[in-house]
Amino acid sequence: MANELTERSRNSCELCKSTSGINAYQVAPETQNNADQTIFICSKCVAQIDKKEPLDTAHWHCLSESMWSEVPAVQVTAWRMLNRLRNESWAADNLDMLYLDDETLAWAKATGDHEDDGTVDLHKDSNGNILQNGDTVVLTKSLDVKGSTLNAKMGTVVKNIRLVEDNTEQIEGKIEGQTIVILTKYLRKQGN
């Protein structure tokens, strides 16, 4: 499959044409692991498709060209991203022009992603800085740890945090060897 994707994409992102950080990406919902349901895209496209970073509207102008791809997986991804950006006039115009056959349109709608407004919920510290897995943070308030005698003092440094996947208001970190859940409103990213 990798050779087929490389040949089809000419070793560049099938959405934005970037040639760096390119990997195979399964277009949800996957029913088979094959080239027809997979696209070759760059890490920037992946991060924004997966809502790991805010939408960069200027980056997605590339859809004006890639939406015409003959590859259904590319068409589906372009349709979903244009829907997220539908408040931009250029994206709305492209959506009006984009035609998907019934089967491809059903696939595009299957995740419900097109109903989102494009906003991205990210883990942010008390100052609004975006947090990532592995960051180091500092507590901005002393916290009593539930179910423990541990009191995490204000100013405590927590290294190598892990984001709680389905709750942007929580991270996990170790204090005195104990893994605890900390609310993001009580910490700041170190160095910010």
Side-chain angles (χ1 to χ4, degrees):
M1 180 173 69
N3 289 341
E4 187 178 343
L5 289 173
T6 303
E7 189 175 315
R8 182 180 80 196
S9 68
R10 294 186 180 100
N11 213 22
S12 64
C13 177
E14 291 187 88
L15 297 175
C16 74
K17 304 299 181 215
S18 172
T19 55
S20 61
I22 300 169
N23 287 299
Y25 181 84
Q26 285 283 122
V27 179
E30 312 90 20
T31 54
Q32 304 161 1
N33 187 14
N34 63 32
D36 292 338
Q37 294 186 340
T38 306
I39 55 178
F40 224 32
I41 58 176
C42 70
S43 55
K44 182 173 180 100
C45 286
V46 170
Q48 292 185 33
I49 289 168
D50 289 346
K51 299 182 179 182
K52 302 293 185 199
E53 67 179 50
L55 280 178
D56 175 359
T57 303
H59 174 79
W60 291 106
H61 281 277
C62 62
L63 295 175
S64 298
E65 186 178 326
S66 57
M67 69 183 220
W68 301 110
S69 170
E70 293 181 16
V71 178
V74 174
Q75 294 171 355
V76 165
T77 306
W79 186 87
R80 289 176 181 168
M81 294 309 295
L82 286 169
N83 268 285
R84 277 199 215 165
L85 295 158
R86 66 183 167 270
N87 292 334
E88 301 284 330
S89 60
W90 65 269
D93 290 345
N94 283 339
L95 263 176
D96 288 342
M97 289 187 284
L98 182 59
Y99 170 79
L100 301 180
D101 62 50
D102 292 342
E103 186 179 331
T104 306
L105 184 59
W107 178 17
K109 290 181 176 181
T111 61
D113 189 41
H114 64 287
E115 296 169 359
D116 292 340
D117 63 359
T119 56
V120 178
D121 291 329
L122 298 169
H123 288 75
K124 294 183 179 180
D125 71 2
S126 59
N127 296 327
N129 297 308
I130 296 173
L131 299 169
Q132 303 286 336
N133 282 317
D135 280 349
T136 299
V137 296
V138 179
L139 297 183
T140 58
K141 178 181 178 180
S142 293
L143 304 170
D144 290 323
V145 179
K146 290 181 182 175
S148 167
T149 58
L150 180 66
N151 180 287
K153 302 278 186 224
M154 182 172 85
T156 300
V157 174
V158 182
K159 295 180 180 180
N160 200 22
I161 65 167
R162 191 181 71 74
L163 305 179
V164 173
E165 201 59 39
D166 35 349
N167 188 338
T168 58
E169 296 178 4
Q170 297 178 341
I171 59 108
E172 287 183 353
K174 282 191 176 191
I175 296 180
E176 295 182 18
Q178 187 175 347
T179 301
I180 62 169
V181 174
I182 307 168
L183 296 177
T184 56
K185 66 183 177 181
Y186 298 132
L187 50 88
R188 69 174 169 77
K189 191 172 182 175
Q190 191 171 43
N192 290 326

